[in-house]
Amino acid sequence: MTLRLGIVPYAYYISWYVIGRPPTSYNLYEKHSGITILDNVIGYKKEKEKSYVFGEDTSYIVIDEENGSYSKKEIEKTDPKYKDLIKGMKELK
């Protein structure tokens, strides 16, 4: 099932992607196809070349801002790099 996204209330737009809020939690979608990339988004961090979207679990998405590609990664919350990674994250509520 694909979801068509128009102007979405409670949405955050990151280049080719959108963080939208269905009834219960935020999700990351491809902007034009509406395909869900990451469920239960808790926050994001936008930088010049890359953006990061963090899930409730240990997964996060890295978006290449130049070409729009993305990759899904995992990190343990106990990993010392995790604190550096989420530093500056805009939390979604």
Side-chain angles (χ1 to χ4, degrees):
M1 178 180 140
T2 59
L3 171 69
R4 294 288 170 201
L5 300 172
I7 300 299
V8 180
Y10 307 109
Y12 302 88
Y13 296 90
I14 302 173
S15 57
W16 290 273
Y17 304 93
V18 62
I19 300 171
R21 186 175 185 178
T24 58
S25 66
Y26 288 97
N27 295 326
L28 177 66
Y29 303 97
E30 288 184 357
K31 189 187 269 185
H32 298 291
S33 70
I35 295 172
T36 303
I37 299 169
L38 183 65
D39 291 319
N40 302 315
V41 171
I42 60 166
Y44 68 97
K45 178 169 67 172
K46 191 168 183 170
E47 296 179 350
K48 186 175 181 175
E49 294 180 14
K50 293 184 180 180
S51 292
Y52 303 86
V53 181
F54 303 96
E56 202 171 60
D57 56 7
T58 59
S59 59
Y60 66 100
I61 302 292
V62 179
I63 299 170
D64 182 318
E65 289 294 338
E66 277 193 36
N67 63 23
S69 64
Y70 69 90
S71 59
K72 187 172 185 177
K73 305 206 179 226
E74 300 277 331
I75 190 167
E76 293 298 321
K77 292 181 180 181
T78 56
D79 188 323
K81 294 177 186 176
Y82 183 74
K83 284 186 179 181
D84 289 336
L85 188 61
I86 65 168
K87 196 178 287 181
M89 174 183 80
K90 293 182 182 178
E91 207 170 323
L92 302 177
K93 296 182 182 192

